Amino acid sequence: MIYKKYRRLLILIFSGLLGLLSTITIPVRSHSLNLQALSNQSCSSASPCPQQNADAGALELARDGERRYNAGDLEAAAQLWQQAAESYEKIGDREGMTKSLINKSQALQDLGLYPKACKTLLQVFAIPNPNCSASQIEQLQKNLTQKPDSLTRTQAIGLQSLGDVLRRQGLLQKSQEILQLSLSSLPESPAKSAVLLSLGNTERALGNQIRDRWDYDLVTEIIDRKSVIDALAPYQKAFNYYQQAVNIASAPAIPKVQAQLNYFQLLRETQEWWNEQTNRRIASWKRFSEAKLIQRAQDFNSQLQSQLSQDAQTLQNQIPSQLATLTPNRAGIYAQINYAESLLHSNQTSEVESLLKNALQQARTLQDKRAETYALGYLGKFYRQQGELTQATQLTQQALMLSQEQNITGDAREITYLWQSQLGGLLRKQGNSKGAVAAYTAAFNTLQSLRSDLNANNQDVQFDFIQEVKPVYIELVDLLLKSNLSNEELNYLIVPNPNLNRQKAETKKAQDRLELARRVIESLQLAELDNFFQDPCSETTNVAVQIDNIDPSAAVIYPIVLPDRIEVILSLAGKPLQEVKIPIQESAVNETLDRLYDYLDNSSINNSARNIFSTSNPNPRELKENIETLLPIFAEVYNWLIKPFENQLNSNQIQNLVFVLNGRLQRVPIAALYDGQKYLIEKYSVALVPSLQLISPQKLQRQKLKVLAAGVSEQIKVQGEFFAALVNVPKELEQIKQTFPGSQKLLNQEFTAKTIQKNLQQNYPVVHLATHGLFSSNPQRNFIITGDGQSISIDELSNLLKETGTTVELLVLSACETATGDERAVLGLAGMAVRSGARSTLASLWPVGDTSTAVFMGEFYQHLKQPGTKQIEALRKAQLSLLESLKSNPTFPELKNLPPHPYYWAPYVLVGNWQ
């Protein structure tokens, strides 16, 4: 079912507790301000005010709005406050109208209708034809900054509400600026506490964005330096604002306790994150007996955990007494649920049941159905944790039914999917696998219906989104792959895709089960890519794409790491999907992949290939030991992904292997998988895709091929950092020019953003950039260096490529690298293609020598020029050329009996269309 209202988003996902419960700032002071201010007029029956009847009518509408709001009827509350605003406007009461509009915007925010909430708030400031565009927000900010004394207290509160809306739309910097303006416009008063709370929430979102985009090396450096200050730096402003909100003695109870709750939860989440990161590095250093590094990491973690635990305990001592003072209302109910969930998460369950039962009773007294479904659902979660599965199931079903009832008149999908997935987990735990599949499928369908909403309009939650919803996808895939459901049962599960190609009747059962699993994994890949860029960058084909429609000589391989096994799905043209199960624990898979990374590319490990090759005189003995250690690991991954399908690949004359990777597999150089005799690239061409649904399968038109080739060969300084000279870049560009005479060459000062933009108008299907650059989990840190000493971000480059209207078939990023150890960095390469309109990207996973890069690129373009040669084949032939050269002329005699080290030739990856 597709819902008509697309702007009600996952308010519940902003923070780790899945929740609105940690971030919602229901401005009760805003509602009470409205009614209190209106009721304090010096009017009586003996001395009536002018237009008293009109005032009374508007006041009654406002009070009805508050009653409806507190009962959870948000649509009705918004309508009543709109009517109140119109009534006040008719009688010329600007203040009454302003307060009613602010209240209306809060109800709209709670519904997830952020554009409408934003437009409503712009009416408060008399913005004509409000559309909440960036220019309107900018103009409003400029006007108010020039006249800060012109703001009334009510308008300052309106600014706070606007800051909340902007945060929920992902405009974090603008939210911060608007909230600062609100704070500076308020006199010293209790109202400041709520603004400080909102500022804390915005800084928390900014902190999440910063921390989650740190690459492996940066986190390792912080641990190695034992820098607690740097570890907490992303959240220090949030900590400070929350503490300031609490310290305002005259502040109302609600914003104060909400600040304490958010602070408490942020401390707990930060503890968990750093504990996981530190233990991961300790595990790596133990492999190499790095005693000093291990001790430093343990000292760092002990110091950090002690500090955070002490702060959390202080808050935990304060929160219960604060909760006890709250008046039973919507905000108070959510505060209790928030605290209960935080305690549940940290296995402190003694107070949880009474907190949730009290919240449930209050919700029923207020007839607040939304609050009631939350209280029921989290009670179900509590009983599940206690092992009382029957009671947990009953409560979860009640919560789900209540949320589904609200979907009839409104939209409670952001609640519904929570209880659908929780029910799935409970049914699975009780052995009801069919019921569990149905419940998880319902959650999956609900999330799919929300996908465009999340992309379009609630961007601050997206990074957390993938962390929170990924278990729904993985659990469903796990169950589907284990299931023996009939065709009829399967057909009722997932919203049907009318373009789904069905196989012959005799293979339909196996095909359907695997096809549904494949679709779920594809959906997860799309969600992760959208989430990476935090906007709807991936326009899918909206069909179930089959390899038959793209390349009959290719096989698509989907490795899925599950808790107790690896499942690998194989897609061959004209054949039903096939699967194999590798019985290995997820922890063992991750340990193997971490070992591979440690020996190959971990800069904190002395004997990693990266560090050995970076020295001026590599030690041949160390190189020999390194490759001898790596080969068995590459062989183990080969045995997982390729060996089970060797016969099928051979009998079907497969030439190209296309991998859809997730998690830590994304940083594996797949071409270097080893069968004991040969590398994978010696048998097949290899490419990566984020999803088949993003592939435009057209082949490169060789007769029109010309390249826009730009590069930087000189040492260059950008923002205080020196980038080494790439002395072979002129040779690299000249080779391209000779191979494709119609090409354009831009070297050093000729290579600027403007010259790229100008030349792109000449319709170059291939763009080659030979310069320093980086791709990481942080789109803002994805950049390339131009010859005028500037950097072009991924967004700027994408815009340059799109503005010309030219379709770039292939974007080659020579000398650029992906961030060390960054599992999501390959998404940067995929996203570069998707966002820019380029159909594929060729880049490297780690820095490659300048000389070998020039040789490799020359080989690549020579092969690409040949009629009928696909990009994937040209890449393979160029890599094989390096391999054969190294076999004939090994770097050291000690290596002559070993396969050439993958560090020389394996980092090059083709992401996207491989044709």
Side-chain angles (χ1 to χ4, degrees):
M1 176 180 179
I2 302 300
Y3 293 81
K4 293 181 179 178
K5 298 181 180 179
Y6 275 108
R7 299 296 184 226
R8 299 178 185 173
L9 307 177
L10 293 181
I11 302 169
L12 275 192
I13 299 179
F14 173 69
S15 68
L17 78 86
L18 291 174
L20 162 148
L21 308 179
S22 67
T23 59
I24 188 169
T25 14
I26 298 182
V28 173
R29 46 119 191 99
S30 165
H31 304 137
S32 59
L33 162 69
N34 189 349
L35 300 177
Q36 180 183 3
L38 292 172
S39 61
N40 281 346
Q41 299 177 56
S42 56
C43 307
S44 67
S45 57
S47 178
C49 292
Q51 298 173 307
Q52 187 179 37
N53 290 339
D55 278 355
L59 179 58
E60 187 57 36
L61 285 168
R63 285 175 171 163
D64 280 347
E66 184 174 36
R67 283 191 285 269
R68 293 286 189 140
Y69 181 90
N70 286 331
D73 192 350
L74 304 178
E75 289 101 336
Q79 292 171 3
L80 286 163
W81 275 320
Q82 175 62 36
Q83 293 171 27
E86 292 169 357
S87 294
Y88 282 123
E89 185 178 27
K90 287 179 182 177
I91 62 175
D93 187 341
R94 182 74 192 177
E95 183 75 355
M97 181 186 78
T98 296
K99 294 169 183 175
S100 296
L101 289 173
I102 293 172
N103 285 327
K104 175 191 173 185
S105 77
Q106 185 60 51
L108 293 173
Q109 286 184 62
D110 294 348
L111 286 165
L113 302 171
Y114 299 125
K116 288 185 178 180
C118 187
K119 292 174 187 177
T120 300
L121 289 166
L122 291 186
Q123 293 177 45
V124 168
F125 299 96
I127 301 295
N129 303 315
N131 58 20
C132 217
S133 64
S135 59
Q136 283 192 344
I137 299 295
E138 195 71 39
Q139 188 59 49
L140 172 64
Q141 185 181 0
K142 183 178 179 181
N143 294 343
L144 296 178
T145 303
Q146 291 172 348
K147 299 178 181 179
D149 297 333
S150 66
L151 275 173
T152 67
R153 178 170 176 267
T154 305
Q155 288 177 319
I157 292 171
L159 278 182
Q160 182 220 335
S161 193
L162 180 59
D164 288 340
V165 171
L166 294 172
R167 180 181 70 250
R168 287 163 172 150
Q169 289 183 297
L171 304 172
L172 300 182
Q173 195 63 45
K174 192 56 65 179
S175 168
Q176 182 192 58
E177 293 167 4
I178 291 293
L179 288 169
Q180 285 287 0
L181 189 56
S182 171
L183 188 67
S184 64
S185 303
L186 279 170
E188 290 300 323
S189 73
K192 274 201 168 182
S193 180
V195 184
L196 289 165
L197 170 61
S198 291
L199 271 165
N201 291 339
T202 293
E203 291 294 345
R204 179 180 180 179
L206 284 165
N208 281 338
Q209 198 175 76
I210 293 167
R211 186 204 66 187
D212 288 335
R213 289 169 172 176
W214 281 345
D215 62 39
Y216 190 96
D217 272 1
L218 180 55
V219 174
T220 303
E221 181 189 341
I222 291 171
I223 294 170
D224 183 45
R225 289 191 290 106
K226 299 195 291 187
S227 179
V228 172
I229 291 175
D230 287 344
L232 299 180
Y235 296 113
Q236 198 56 60
K237 287 184 179 179
F239 294 155
N240 293 340
Y241 283 129
Y242 287 145
Q243 192 59 57
Q244 290 176 48
V246 172
N247 288 343
I248 294 180
S250 60
I254 282 294
K256 183 178 290 191
V257 75
Q258 285 174 332
Q260 290 174 319
L261 289 166
N262 289 8
Y263 193 1
F264 177 66
Q265 188 181 59
L266 181 54
L267 289 169
R268 176 178 57 75
E269 289 173 354
T270 305
Q271 277 184 290
E272 290 179 358
W273 193 87
W274 275 109
N275 193 52
E276 178 186 346
Q277 295 297 323
T278 306
N279 287 336
R280 185 171 174 184
R281 281 143 184 87
I282 288 173
S284 289
W285 292 330
K286 281 182 177 178
R287 297 185 192 110
F288 296 87
S289 300
E290 297 278 4
K292 290 183 179 179
L293 288 174
I294 293 168
Q295 187 59 55
R296 292 178 69 81
Q298 290 172 338
D299 292 344
F300 162 80
N301 203 35
S302 176
Q303 184 181 349
L304 178 67
Q305 297 295 327
S306 175
Q307 179 177 325
L308 294 175
S309 294
Q310 185 176 345
D311 292 343
Q313 188 58 55
T314 300
L315 285 165
Q316 199 167 344
N317 292 338
Q318 298 168 351
I319 290 170
S321 60
Q322 290 289 332
L323 288 174
T325 66
L326 297 181
T327 304
N329 57 27
R330 210 162 172 258
I333 294 168
Y334 286 133
Q336 292 174 80
I337 297 172
N338 180 357
Y339 187 48
E341 212 285 333
S342 290
L343 294 175
L344 262 179
H345 195 86
S346 52
N347 292 314
Q348 303 177 60
T349 57
S350 59
E351 302 173 58
V352 170
E353 186 175 20
S354 60
L355 278 167
L356 291 173
K357 283 186 173 179
N358 190 54
L360 179 60
Q361 181 182 351
Q362 290 179 2
R364 285 172 171 168
T365 300
L366 292 173
Q367 297 183 332
D368 187 334
K369 298 299 183 183
R370 284 180 177 248
E372 184 179 352
T373 188
Y374 288 133
L376 284 167
Y378 282 107
L379 260 176
K381 184 176 182 179
F382 165 74
Y383 286 119
R384 175 184 178 176
Q385 191 165 315
Q386 299 303 302
E388 299 179 34
L389 301 184
T390 301
Q391 193 167 1
T393 303
Q394 291 172 350
L395 287 164
T396 303
Q397 288 172 329
Q398 291 176 41
L400 178 56
M401 289 177 64
L402 202 57
S403 67
Q404 288 173 329
E405 287 174 8
Q406 294 173 77
N407 272 327
I408 296 172
T409 55
D411 186 350
R413 288 174 294 165
E414 77 283 357
I415 311 171
T416 301
Y417 105 89
L418 285 175
W419 313 140
Q420 287 168 333
S421 59
Q422 184 166 296
L423 180 61
L426 285 163
L427 294 174
R428 181 173 193 177
K429 204 171 181 68
Q430 295 171 81
N432 183 353
S433 59
K434 288 186 178 181
V437 170
Y440 274 117
T441 301
F444 169 76
N445 288 334
T446 302
L447 285 170
Q448 289 298 96
S449 77
L450 280 165
R451 179 173 174 258
S452 61
D453 297 359
L454 286 163
N455 294 342
N457 211 34
N458 202 15
Q459 296 163 21
D460 70 312
V461 304
Q462 287 192 19
F463 211 91
D464 291 330
F465 166 76
I466 194 62
Q467 305 301 327
E468 301 297 353
V469 305
K470 186 172 183 177
V472 175
Y473 291 85
I474 296 300
E475 287 282 348
L476 178 55
V477 167
D478 191 6
L479 285 162
L480 283 170
L481 293 174
K482 284 182 175 178
S483 73
N484 57 357
L485 296 172
S486 68
N487 291 337
E488 290 74 21
E489 289 169 320
L490 286 166
N491 287 336
Y492 280 111
L493 286 177
I494 293 184
V495 175
N497 186 331
N499 297 302
L500 186 62
N501 294 326
R502 298 294 183 182
Q503 301 296 324
K504 294 180 181 179
E506 60 268 23
T507 64
K508 185 174 181 182
K509 182 175 180 179
Q511 174 71 14
D512 280 352
R513 179 176 62 84
L514 294 178
E515 177 59 38
L516 292 181
R518 189 187 75 86
R519 285 182 59 194
V520 174
I521 287 299
E522 288 264 353
S523 298
L524 176 58
Q525 295 290 109
L526 294 172
E528 186 166 10
L529 188 58
D530 289 340
N531 162 252
F532 177 79
F533 286 102
Q534 301 193 0
D535 69 17
C537 62
S538 52
E539 295 184 10
T540 70
T541 59
N542 200 32
V543 298
V545 179
Q546 307 288 345
I547 194 63
D548 314 51
N549 309 129
I550 300 177
D551 181 2
S553 65
V556 183
I557 297 174
Y558 298 84
I560 307 165
V561 180
L562 297 168
D564 61 344
R565 68 197 190 283
I566 300 174
E567 290 260 6
V568 188
I569 296 177
L570 175 70
S571 176
L572 297 172
K575 304 285 184 180
L577 295 176
Q578 301 173 55
E579 67 172 324
V580 294
K581 304 178 193 295
I582 313 296
I584 181 172
Q585 295 293 313
E586 183 178 14
S587 57
V589 174
N590 288 337
E591 196 272 340
T592 298
L593 297 178
D594 282 345
R595 278 195 302 122
L596 178 62
Y597 169 67
D598 287 343
Y599 281 97
L600 186 64
D601 199 30
N602 191 338
S603 61
S604 73
I605 303 297
N606 288 330
N607 293 328
S608 70
R610 174 182 278 251
N611 284 331
I612 295 171
F613 281 108
S614 66
T615 60
S616 56
N617 294 301
N619 185 318
R621 180 182 57 80
E622 289 183 343
L623 273 176
K624 183 173 184 292
E625 290 176 355
N626 184 270
I627 183 64
E628 287 176 340
T629 304
L630 279 170
L631 286 175
I633 306 176
F634 278 121
E636 186 173 5
V637 181
Y638 179 95
N639 290 340
W640 296 343
L641 308 187
I642 308 299
K643 189 173 182 178
F645 300 117
E646 282 180 332
N647 292 336
Q648 293 95 315
L649 297 176
N650 292 332
S651 61
N652 286 279
Q653 299 181 315
I654 295 300
Q655 301 171 18
N656 307 320
L657 298 183
V658 181
F659 292 84
V660 181
L661 303 176
N662 203 284
R664 298 183 193 186
L665 282 167
Q666 289 182 113
R667 68 183 185 192
V668 174
I670 296 294
L673 300 189
Y674 190 63
D675 70 355
Q677 299 294 324
K678 295 181 178 180
Y679 287 117
L680 188 64
I681 199 67
E682 296 181 84
K683 301 194 288 186
Y684 303 99
S685 302
V686 175
L688 308 178
V689 294
S691 166
L692 282 187
Q693 294 182 47
L694 296 175
I695 297 302
S696 299
Q698 294 90 339
K699 292 183 179 179
L700 199 60
Q701 299 300 313
R702 298 305 190 282
Q703 66 272 21
K704 299 179 182 178
L705 204 55
K706 58 180 181 176
V707 182
L708 175 58
V712 178
S713 64
E714 302 167 343
Q715 176 180 284
I716 198 163
K717 183 179 181 181
V718 179
Q719 297 178 356
E721 182 178 355
F722 283 97
F723 291 85
L726 300 170
V727 295
N728 283 286
V729 163
K731 177 183 175 182
E732 185 176 327
L733 301 189
E734 186 57 35
Q735 287 177 331
I736 294 172
K737 178 75 172 173
Q738 291 175 7
T739 305
F740 301 103
S743 299
Q744 175 65 45
K745 184 174 66 172
L746 301 173
L747 181 62
N748 294 327
Q749 285 75 21
E750 298 172 332
F751 171 24
T752 67
K754 287 186 178 179
T755 56
I756 287 289
Q757 184 178 31
K758 179 181 177 182
N759 281 277
L760 278 172
Q761 296 171 0
Q762 319 257 341
N763 297 326
Y764 290 95
V766 179
V767 176
H768 180 102
L769 303 176
T771 180
H772 290 287
L774 179 71
F775 289 86
S776 73
S777 285
N778 184 351
Q780 279 71 52
R781 288 187 65 229
N782 291 353
F783 64 89
I784 59 169
I785 302 299
T786 53
D788 56 353
Q790 302 298 312
S791 61
I792 301 179
S793 71
I794 186 172
D795 284 333
E796 291 166 338
L797 181 58
S798 297
N799 289 334
L800 285 177
L801 296 175
K802 283 191 290 191
E803 283 172 3
T804 62
T806 303
T807 297
V808 176
E809 301 288 345
L810 174 62
L811 179 64
V812 180
L813 300 167
S814 173
C816 298
E817 63 170 305
T818 59
T820 308
D822 192 338
E823 291 147 22
R824 291 166 56 88
V826 173
L827 288 173
L829 302 179
M832 168 63 82
V834 172
R835 289 168 65 84
S836 66
R839 292 201 167 104
S840 54
T841 306
L842 176 63
S844 59
L845 294 175
W846 56 77
V848 187
D850 183 31
T851 303
S852 60
T853 297
V855 173
F856 169 82
M857 289 299 172
E859 289 284 339
F860 172 75
Y861 282 112
Q862 283 294 335
H863 294 299
L864 191 66
K865 184 179 181 180
Q866 302 306 312
T869 302
K870 299 174 183 176
Q871 297 175 55
I872 193 173
E873 294 167 354
L875 171 61
R876 176 178 182 244
K877 289 175 180 177
Q879 288 177 306
L880 287 177
S881 177
L882 282 181
L883 264 174
E884 294 304 321
S885 174
L886 290 166
K887 283 181 180 179
S888 303
N889 302 288
T891 314
F892 299 100
E894 290 88 342
L895 305 179
K896 66 180 180 180
N897 294 323
L898 289 170
H901 200 295
Y903 208 83
Y904 287 114
W905 58 267
Y908 304 101
V909 292
L910 180 67
V911 185
N913 180 29
W914 62 90
Q915 296 282 67

